[in-house]
Each structure stands twice: as structure tokens, then as C-alpha cells.
């Protein structure tokens, strides 16, 4: 029995030592004084800079929320614009701490890239955009069409699967970046532009005459978009994951950037746990007790983030749909903070 107990003790100690050795990202971020966040090269609603270099979007706000939780300051983020081709290498090499760049969660990416997805910030699906002048009303009318796609994405495989399943022919015209793909489509080098449907609405705003183009109704794939972190640091994985869960939980409890201080004063057991006056959940993450308050006060709850970036309060005007909370008919659901 003594030998078994000793062996278990040594194994536990070894595990804790390995865990401590791996949990370096938070320390690196604190020492650096900012979060290094990989984003797109410009996709309105998700991650896009203005002419002064100020970044906005859902993916941007995820990184600002992480900075808010750690530093109580959402501006302590360095945004690194990355192409679809280069995004995973930047994460693997340590150039960035988190990849928050409209990236689809798939099994191959989750198992072969040395990285983990931390949640779904936006449930999406691939679609098609065409010029209204083509008088096409369905993707099933696209036989023999030429299609502009971006390389290094899940888009190409989905496109091939859809056309094969429907016995249609097509020609792929591929480009390295999103902007190149959009410009080629607008210039008439292809009949159709395909990417995630949210991206179609975003890129439509970039066109000279957006009203001359339409997004077809078909959604041909599941594209759950979310942040990624490197394998090997469970603490950092938990921080990024629970940052999203905190924003979802706050919305579910009616806690917003406008009322978080008042909500924190209420004698509601769940609010007390979530907002830090009861329990040590923030400290378990390596953060402070008021980590959720920091996130919501500096960035907002998930509903606020969605609305101002892609929803009714934005130029995109996308309906919440499946991105609504679970108790409002959507898929967004956070594990409990308890």
C-alpha cells in the first residue's frame, strides 16, 4: 500500500510539475504587457482596420475581452493580420498567443495542427454570391459556372463536394487572399464568389455597387468559427475558452456593459458567483475575482458584441438566427460558472 501511495504521489507531483512548466502563455502575455492576436487581413464585422488602424469586429472583441480579463484594459492587444495560408504557422511558431480569425473548427485542424479550438464565436455556413444580372436564384442553377475561391480554406473542399453531389460542373479560380478574390469577382473573372455566408455579406459591402449583387439562399456546409490556441498550455486554453463563456453567460443573465456595476450589487446567488463576490473562479483561471466584470465592462456581453459588429447595429444587419442564445432558439450555450 505504501508503495502504491508513493507511486500515486510521485505521479501527481510529476503531472503538476508538467502542468506548471506548460502554463507559460499567461506569464508571457503579462510580461509583454499585451495579448498578441492573429486576425484577418480585413473582413468587416469580424476583424477589420479603419484608415487609422483601429480594429473592430467579433474576432477583435474576443481578443479585447481576453485583454480586459487579464489587464482590465481592452486596448492591450497587438493585432497581427494574417492570410488564411499563414494563420496556423503564426500560431504554431508562437508569433501570436491566440488565433481569432474567422476559422472553421474541423477535426483535421483540431488534431493535426498542434492547436485547440476554444469555442464557437459564430455559427456559419458556406454560401454563394452572384451578380443579379445573371438572374440566378439558386445555387442549383450554377452548373458550368466559374467560381472564385480563396486558397488555404475549407471553402474549396465544400465547393467540390456540393457540385459533385448535385452532378454539376464548375471551374475553380483560386486566389491567395480574400481581397484578391473579391476584386477578381467584381472584375468579372468568375461568375460566382463563395465563402462563409457572413463573409459574403461583409465582402458585399466592399463592392462598388453592393445592390447589384445577391447572396443565394443555399447554405452548403457547417462552419463553426472560433478562436484557437496552441497545445500544451491548459491554463491559457481555459482562459480563452471561459472568456467567451463569460460573455455568453452575461447575456443570459441580463448583464451588460451598461448595468454590470448595478448587477454586481444584487444578492442573487448566481450573479454573485459569476461577477466575483462569491467563490474564487477567476483565481482558478489565474485571473482576478472580478474577471467577468472586467470583460463585460470593457467589451460587453456576447449580444452586445454581435449586435454592433454584424447584427442590427452594424452595416451587415445579420439576423442572430442560430447565433442566438439556447433559450431563445439558438445554439449559443455556455457551461455554468459554478
Amino acid at each position: 500500500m505504501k508503495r502504491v501511495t508513493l507511486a500515486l504521489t510521485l505521479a501527481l507531483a510529476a503531472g503538476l510539475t508538467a502542468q506548471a512548466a506548460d502554463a507559460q502563455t499567461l506569464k508571457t502575455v503579462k510580461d509583454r504587457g499585451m495579448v498578441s492576436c492573429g486576425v484577418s487581413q480585413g473582413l468587416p464585422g469580424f476583424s477589420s482596420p479603419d484608415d487609422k488602424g483601429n480594429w473592430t469586429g467579433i474576432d477583435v472583441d474576443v481578443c479585447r475581452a481576453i485583454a480586459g480579463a487579464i489587464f482590465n484594459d481592452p486596448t492591450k492587444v497587438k493585432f497581427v493580420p494574417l492570410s488564411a495560408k499563414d494563420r496556423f504557422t503564426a500560431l504554431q511558431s508562437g508569433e501570436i498567443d491566440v488565433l481569432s480569425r474567422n476559422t472553421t473548427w474541423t477535426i483535421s485542424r483540431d488534431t493535426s495542427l498542434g492547436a485547440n479550438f476554444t469555442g464557437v464565436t459564430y455559427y456559419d455556413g458556406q454560401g454563394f454570391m452572384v451578380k443579379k444580372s445573371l438572374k440566378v436564384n439558386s445555387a442549383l442553377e450554377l452548373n458550368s459556372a466559374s467560381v472564385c475561391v480563396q486558397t488555404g480554406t475549407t471553402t474549396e473542399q465544400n465547393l467540390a463536394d456540393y457540385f459533385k453531389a448535385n452532378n454539376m460542373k464548375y471551374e475553380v479560380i483560386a486566389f491567395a487572399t480574400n481581397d484578391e478574390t473579391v476584386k477578381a469577382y467584381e472584375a468579372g473573372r468568375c461568375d460566382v464568389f463563395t465563402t462563409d455566408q457572413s463573409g459574403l455579406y461583409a465582402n458585399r459591402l466592399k463592392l462598388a455597387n453592393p445592390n447589384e449583387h445577391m447572396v443565394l439562399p443555399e447554405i452548403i456546409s457547417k462552419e463553426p468559427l472560433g478562436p484557437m490556441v496552441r497545445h500544451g498550455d491548459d491554463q491559457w486554453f481555459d482562459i480563452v475558452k471561459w472568456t467567451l463563456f463569460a460573455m455568453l453567460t452575461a447575456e443570459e443573465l441580463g448583464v451588460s456593459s451598461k448595468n454590470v456595476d448595478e448587477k454586481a450589487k444584487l444578492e442573487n446567488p448566481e450573479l454573485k458567483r459569476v461577477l466575483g463576490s462569491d467563490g474564487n473562479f477567476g483565481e482558478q483561471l489565474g485571473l482576478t475575482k472580478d474577471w467577468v466584470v472586467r470583460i463585460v465592462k470593457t467589451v460587453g456581453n456576447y449580444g452586445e458584441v454581435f449586435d454592433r459588429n454584424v447584427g442590427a447595429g452594424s452595416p451587415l444587419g445579420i439576423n442572430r438566427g442560430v447565433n442566438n442564445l439556447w433559450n431563445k432558439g439558438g445554439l449559443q450555450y455556455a457551461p455554468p460558472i459554478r
Side-chain angles (χ1 to χ4, degrees):
M1 286 295 293
K2 289 182 178 179
R3 286 197 296 272
V4 172
T5 303
L6 178 60
L8 289 172
T9 302
L10 290 173
L12 179 60
L16 291 173
T17 301
Q19 185 178 27
D22 287 337
Q24 294 295 318
T25 308
L26 179 60
K27 182 180 184 303
T28 299
V29 167
K30 285 183 174 180
D31 290 345
R32 187 195 302 129
M34 66 179 61
V35 178
S36 181
C37 176
V39 290
S40 76
Q41 293 167 310
L43 183 64
F46 289 86
S47 50
S48 182
D50 62 18
D51 54 5
K52 295 181 181 178
N54 299 312
W55 287 85
T56 58
I58 287 181
D59 293 336
V60 167
D61 279 346
V62 168
C63 290
R64 293 199 192 282
I66 297 167
I70 297 169
F71 300 109
N72 201 24
D73 185 346
T75 67
K76 292 193 173 183
V77 184
K78 176 187 177 183
F79 293 105
V80 181
L82 298 166
S83 68
K85 179 183 177 182
D86 297 332
R87 55 185 159 174
F88 303 123
T89 303
L91 181 63
Q92 293 162 341
S93 68
E95 180 184 355
I96 57 175
D97 305 310
V98 57
L99 178 67
S100 186
R101 189 205 174 282
N102 55 292
T103 299
T104 300
W105 190 344
T106 68
I107 186 171
S108 57
R109 289 174 174 176
D110 210 16
T111 57
S112 65
L113 296 176
N116 284 323
F117 282 88
T118 61
V120 178
T121 51
Y122 189 94
Y123 288 96
D124 209 346
Q126 186 172 327
F128 300 95
M129 181 163 64
V130 298
K131 294 179 177 66
K132 291 180 180 179
S133 59
L134 288 181
K135 300 188 183 303
V136 170
N137 296 306
S138 168
L140 295 173
E141 300 173 35
L142 296 177
N143 188 36
S144 300
S146 56
V147 186
C148 283
V149 301
Q150 184 182 357
T151 57
T153 68
T154 57
T155 305
E156 293 170 287
Q157 184 62 57
N158 294 335
L159 179 66
D161 290 348
Y162 182 77
F163 273 76
K164 183 176 182 180
N166 289 285
N167 296 312
M168 297 191 301
K169 297 179 180 180
Y170 71 104
E171 178 188 4
V172 169
I173 303 178
F175 299 90
T177 70
N178 180 70
D179 282 346
E180 288 176 328
T181 312
V182 175
K183 288 176 182 177
Y185 164 74
E186 186 169 30
R189 295 182 61 184
C190 55
D191 303 311
V192 187
F193 173 37
T194 185
T195 188
D196 295 346
Q197 196 171 69
S198 63
L200 294 176
Y201 284 106
N203 284 306
R204 183 170 170 269
L205 298 177
K206 297 180 179 181
L207 303 177
N209 298 295
N211 291 331
E212 294 179 2
H213 305 262
M214 64 181 290
V215 177
L216 298 177
E218 287 84 0
I219 295 178
I220 68 169
S221 69
K222 293 185 294 184
E223 306 294 332
L225 310 180
M228 296 180 78
V229 296
R230 283 182 298 281
H231 278 167
D233 190 338
D234 287 348
Q235 181 192 43
W236 186 246
F237 173 75
D238 287 342
I239 287 172
V240 176
K241 174 174 59 180
W242 281 95
T243 293
L244 172 59
F245 291 157
M247 290 191 286
L248 288 168
T249 301
E251 182 184 8
E252 184 177 336
L253 294 176
V255 179
S256 71
S257 58
K258 297 177 181 178
N259 66 16
V260 62
D261 288 329
E262 289 72 25
K263 292 284 188 179
K265 298 173 184 176
L266 299 178
E267 290 298 318
N268 177 294
E270 187 170 12
L271 284 174
K272 287 169 70 90
R273 285 195 301 272
V274 172
L275 301 181
S277 58
D278 186 14
N280 63 340
F281 305 107
E283 291 163 329
Q284 290 174 1
L285 290 168
L287 304 173
T288 58
K289 285 180 176 291
D290 65 342
W291 64 291
V292 177
V293 173
R294 290 180 168 196
I295 290 169
V296 177
K297 187 178 289 188
T298 57
V299 176
N301 65 35
Y302 178 82
E304 290 178 282
V305 169
F306 186 98
D307 183 71
R308 69 168 170 260
N309 289 303
V310 300
S314 77
L316 274 69
I318 298 175
N319 188 279
R320 279 288 289 268
V322 294
N323 286 291
N324 222 322
L325 295 179
W326 66 280
N327 55 4
K328 294 183 179 179
L331 298 176
Q332 290 291 2
Y333 185 108
I337 297 176
R338 64 168 184 261

